[in-house]
């Protein structure tokens, strides 16, 4: 009789470890899903805004009773901001190190800049820059705090502080911010009593909801701007309003002002430009309402679209917005405005001269005169009179004579005539038809001389005036060009100035 062979001992020995390994793998995978929140094994995350393991630059923002801490990287901040590149450079860091060694008597900080050693590993197994010549292998960290200044009108600014060291020669490692609250399981509801109490509390707190949101839950504007600045440095989208364009303008304006302080307009301006351009039609309407404000914003953001759109409005209304721009923009921007205003005035002068030389001809090709066609000559004269009256500023008022008692006083200065914007007149000429010198005006003019007035003469007179209007419409066509993104037929038909200014690539003041 044959019996099956008994399994050998090595086979049993080999199966044991495989079963043990599988059980160990399963148990580790099960333990990985457990929550360690609040326990001693919690490790802070190495992500924005607090890179607890790889960050080497601590930034503390205190504003309006709120505080926010960042642990970032010197390399990324120096690449995006000229301020951080200069303040962490060799000369500045050595000066800060000397100052720290004098105050805290730390000999290691007086030996120069940090040097990365290959055999030194920091927290979490990542390489750390060590102090040159330091035997303890201490880690150098840059530290900045927001300084509000001694006066109330001073703008808060980040100030570099010397790196803090312990009594044993090692670097001080700041405490990370508390982890976000998390739960592994939702709490189980036992009875309906807790649900009813929660509803009762919600009804009582609804009355004070607006006050609590404005006082405790509202984030400080300074902290918001700094947070958006650092988010852009790390290629995160800034938290800007995407619904209300007026609020988005204010947020972009303060963010750009902050970026200007830290020499980071090249990076931040692109993000603000992209965010505002998403509003499309609403943005063009806002620029038409507030062109000086958006001209400043477009210059800071280096936005060619916003800057060009606002520049067309400013040049068309010049010098209306001159008082708002003189002391708030650099000379390069004002030079561009003056050059474009000069080009527009030169074009208007050329077309105005052609309009005054406009005339009609008879059937034999001769210019109309009082002798060969009195009615046609009257139509030409009426058009020239209307053009001169509407394109010439009114004469200044006659000053009153001095009284007998005020003979010793010097005469008051003559008032300057108001600036005349002829854009509205040229738009009427470009429209033609009954927009100016209509039927009622011509009829009233013809009735001045009752001997020449009749229905036939009025109809003939209107036909000749329409011929002049058509010729004038063709002459002013170069001024009727629209360089705006705004649709004038739908949204901007009431604009009383010209929008034919066009900016070339060489006209932008930052190129």
């Amino acid at each position: 009789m044959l019996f099956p062979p008994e399994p050998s001992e090595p086979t049993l020995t080999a199966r044991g470890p495989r079963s043990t390994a599988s059980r160990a793998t399963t148990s580790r995978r099960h333990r990985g899903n457990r929550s360690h929140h609040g326990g001693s094994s919690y490790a802070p995350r190495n992500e924005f805004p607090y890179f607890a393991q790889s960050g080497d630059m601590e930034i503390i923002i205190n504003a309006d009773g709120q505080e926010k801490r960042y642990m970032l990287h010197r390399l990324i901040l120096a690449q995006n901001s000229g301020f951080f590149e200069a303040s962490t450079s060799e000369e500045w860091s050595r000066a800060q190190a000397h100052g720290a060694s004098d105050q805290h008597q730390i000999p290691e900080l007086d030996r120069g800049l940090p040097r990365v050693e290959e055999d030194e590993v920091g927290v979490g197994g990542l390489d750390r820059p060590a102090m040159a010549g330091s035997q303890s292998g201490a880690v150098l960290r840059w530290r900045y705090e927001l300084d509000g200044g001694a006066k109330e009108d001073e703008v808060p600014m980040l100030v570099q502080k010397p790196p803090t060291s312990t009594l044993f020669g090692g670097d001080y490692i700041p405490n990370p911010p508390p982890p976000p609250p998390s739960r592994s399981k939702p709490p189980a509801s036992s009875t309906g009593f807790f649900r009813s109490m929660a509803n009762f509390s919600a009804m009582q707190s609804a009355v004070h909801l607006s006050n609590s949101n404005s006082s405790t839950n509202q984030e400080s504007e300074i902290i918001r701007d700094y947070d958006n600045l650092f988010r852009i440095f790390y290629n995160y989208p800034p938290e800007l309003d995407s619904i209300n364009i007026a609020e988005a303008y204010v947020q972009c304006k303060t963010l750009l002002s902050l970026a200007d302080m830290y020499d980071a307009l090249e990076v931040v301006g692109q993000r603000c430009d992209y965010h505002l351009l998403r509003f499309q039609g609403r943005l063009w309407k806002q620029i038409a309402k507030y062109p000086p404000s958006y001209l400043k914003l477009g210059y800071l953001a280096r936005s060619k679209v916003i800057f060009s759109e606002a520049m067309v409005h400013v040049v068309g209304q010049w010098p209306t917005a001159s008082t708002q721009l003189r002391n708030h923009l650099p000379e390069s921007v004002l030079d561009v405005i003056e050059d474009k205003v000069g080009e527009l005035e030169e074009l208007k002068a050329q077309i105005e001269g052609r309009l005054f030389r406009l005339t009609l001809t008879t059937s034999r090709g001769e210019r109309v005169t009082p002798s060969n066609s009195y009615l046609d000559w009257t139509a030409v004269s009426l058009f020239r009179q209307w053009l001169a009256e509407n394109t010439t500023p009114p004469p200044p008022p006659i000053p009153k004579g001095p009284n007998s008692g005020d003979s010793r006083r010097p005469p008051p200065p003559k008032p300057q005539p108001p600036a005349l914007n002829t854009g509205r007149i040229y738009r009427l000429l470009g429209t033609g038809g009954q927009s100016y010198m209509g039927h009622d005006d011509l009829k009233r003019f013809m009735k001045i001389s009752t001997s020449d007035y009749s229905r036939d003469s009025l109809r003939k007179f209107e036909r000749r005036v329409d011929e002049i209007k058509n010729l004038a419409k063709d002459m002013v066509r170069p001024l009727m060009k629209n360089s705006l993104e705004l649709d004038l037929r739908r949204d901007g038909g009431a604009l009383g100035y010209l929008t034919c200014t066009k900016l070339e690539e060489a006209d932008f003041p930052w190129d």
Side-chain angles (χ1 to χ4, degrees):
M1 180 180 291
L2 297 178
F3 295 92
E6 296 181 0
S8 60
E9 184 177 356
T11 305
L12 295 176
T13 306
R15 293 179 59 184
R18 284 199 299 268
S19 177
T20 305
S22 63
R23 287 196 301 270
T25 305
T26 306
S27 62
R28 284 198 299 271
R29 187 159 51 245
H30 178 69
R31 287 197 301 268
N33 294 330
R34 295 179 181 176
S35 174
H36 299 280
H37 170 60
S40 59
S41 62
Y42 170 75
R45 295 182 178 180
N46 190 44
E47 61 183 15
F48 184 86
Y50 206 91
F51 294 89
Q53 301 177 12
S54 62
D56 56 0
M57 181 179 292
E58 183 186 16
I59 299 177
I60 303 175
I61 309 294
N62 284 300
D64 301 332
Q66 303 178 15
E67 178 180 306
K68 191 164 186 179
R69 292 175 176 264
Y70 297 87
M71 181 62 72
L72 306 176
H73 305 89
R74 180 259 173 194
L75 179 62
I76 295 180
L77 269 64
Q79 289 177 348
N80 292 279
S81 170
F83 169 83
F84 289 106
E85 181 182 8
S87 61
T88 57
S89 60
E90 181 177 356
E91 296 80 8
W92 185 264
S93 294
R94 181 177 291 114
Q96 290 290 334
H98 280 291
S101 61
D102 296 338
Q103 296 177 7
H104 302 282
Q105 299 181 357
I106 302 175
E108 290 82 356
L109 294 178
D110 195 29
R111 298 180 183 178
L113 287 174
R115 184 177 61 212
V116 178
E117 301 292 345
E118 295 181 357
D119 57 344
E120 292 180 359
V121 180
V123 180
L126 299 177
D127 293 341
R128 288 290 188 171
M131 300 299 297
S134 175
Q135 298 179 358
S136 61
V139 178
L140 174 64
R141 294 178 183 269
W142 287 271
R143 186 166 177 264
Y144 288 85
E145 292 184 6
L146 186 65
D147 187 4
K151 300 180 180 179
E152 296 181 357
D153 56 347
E154 292 185 3
V155 179
M157 189 78 177
L158 286 176
V159 178
Q160 186 176 0
K161 299 293 183 179
T164 307
S165 298
T166 63
L167 296 175
F168 302 99
D171 277 356
Y172 164 74
I173 300 179
N175 295 326
S182 61
R183 285 181 176 270
S184 58
K185 294 182 180 180
S189 58
S190 58
T191 59
F193 171 76
F194 298 101
R195 186 182 299 109
S196 60
M197 292 301 297
N199 295 336
F200 179 72
S201 301
M203 293 173 59
Q204 288 185 336
S205 61
V207 181
H208 308 282
L209 182 61
S210 58
N211 297 331
S212 62
N213 289 337
S214 59
S215 59
T216 60
N217 297 333
Q218 184 177 6
E219 187 180 19
S220 171
E221 294 182 358
I222 298 178
I223 294 180
R224 179 200 65 196
D225 294 336
Y226 274 95
D227 189 69
N228 284 332
L229 180 68
F230 297 142
R231 289 176 65 89
I232 293 175
F233 287 171
Y234 279 84
N235 204 22
Y236 285 97
E239 296 180 353
L240 302 173
D241 197 320
S242 59
I243 299 177
N244 189 351
I245 187 174
E247 185 67 22
Y249 164 79
V250 174
Q251 293 176 357
C252 290
K253 179 182 177 182
T254 55
L255 179 58
L256 289 171
S257 300
L258 185 66
D260 191 18
M261 291 172 51
Y262 295 101
D263 194 13
L265 285 176
E266 185 177 357
V267 180
V268 178
Q270 298 177 2
R271 287 284 189 170
C272 294
D273 182 28
Y274 171 75
H275 182 77
L276 290 176
L277 290 179
R278 294 168 61 187
F279 288 95
Q280 292 296 320
R282 286 186 291 169
L283 176 62
W284 315 138
K285 294 179 182 179
Q286 286 292 110
I287 296 178
K289 292 180 180 179
Y290 313 103
S293 301
Y294 278 91
L295 184 67
K296 305 173 191 176
L297 182 71
Y299 174 75
L300 290 177
R302 304 296 190 263
S303 172
K304 294 184 178 181
V305 178
I306 297 178
F307 186 81
S308 301
E309 189 81 3
M311 178 65 72
V312 173
H313 290 284
V314 169
V315 172
Q317 302 179 46
W318 193 261
T320 303
S322 58
T323 56
Q324 305 178 30
L325 299 174
R326 290 288 183 188
N327 300 325
H328 298 86
L329 285 176
E331 291 295 332
S332 58
V333 180
L334 297 177
D335 292 341
V336 174
I337 296 176
E338 293 177 356
D339 292 343
K340 293 302 176 180
V341 170
E343 294 177 3
L344 181 59
E345 292 297 330
E346 182 179 357
L347 180 60
K348 287 165 61 177
Q350 296 176 359
I351 295 178
E352 184 177 347
R354 295 174 57 189
L355 289 174
F356 275 105
R357 293 192 297 269
L358 189 148
T359 186
L360 296 175
T361 57
T362 61
S363 58
R364 292 177 294 181
E366 300 176 354
R367 293 183 178 179
V368 295
T369 60
S371 58
N372 57 16
S373 180
Y374 179 79
L375 190 64
D376 296 348
W377 176 81
T378 304
V380 174
S381 300
L382 179 62
F383 174 79
R384 292 175 179 176
Q385 174 63 29
W386 179 90
L387 182 64
E389 183 178 353
N390 288 274
T391 56
T392 305
I398 301 176
K400 298 181 179 179
N403 299 330
S404 57
D406 299 337
S407 58
R408 297 180 181 180
R409 296 182 179 180
K414 296 182 179 180
Q416 296 293 333
L420 180 64
N421 191 341
T422 58
R424 183 181 63 86
I425 305 303
Y426 286 106
R427 286 202 175 276
L428 292 177
L429 293 172
T431 304
Q434 296 295 317
S435 59
Y436 68 102
M437 295 175 61
H439 172 77
D440 295 336
D441 297 331
L442 299 181
K443 183 177 181 180
R444 193 180 305 109
F445 174 77
M446 290 293 294
K447 283 186 175 181
I448 296 177
S449 178
T450 55
S451 58
D452 299 333
Y453 175 75
S454 64
R455 292 185 177 180
D456 294 337
S457 61
L458 178 60
R459 283 194 294 267
K460 182 179 179 181
F461 186 72
E462 288 181 346
R463 286 197 301 269
R464 302 301 278 175
V465 170
D466 290 339
E467 292 181 14
I468 300 176
K469 289 182 179 180
N470 293 332
L471 294 175
K473 184 177 180 179
D474 295 335
M475 288 184 180
V476 300
R477 195 178 301 276
L479 295 175
M480 295 298 104
K481 294 180 180 179
N482 180 29
S483 301
L484 296 173
E485 297 290 340
L486 181 68
D487 189 358
L488 296 180
R489 298 178 181 179
R490 184 183 60 186
D491 303 323
L495 293 181
Y497 48 88
L498 301 177
T499 58
C500 57
T501 303
K502 186 177 181 180
L503 267 68
E504 305 293 342
E505 289 293 332
D507 295 329
F508 294 104
W510 56 80
D511 289 341

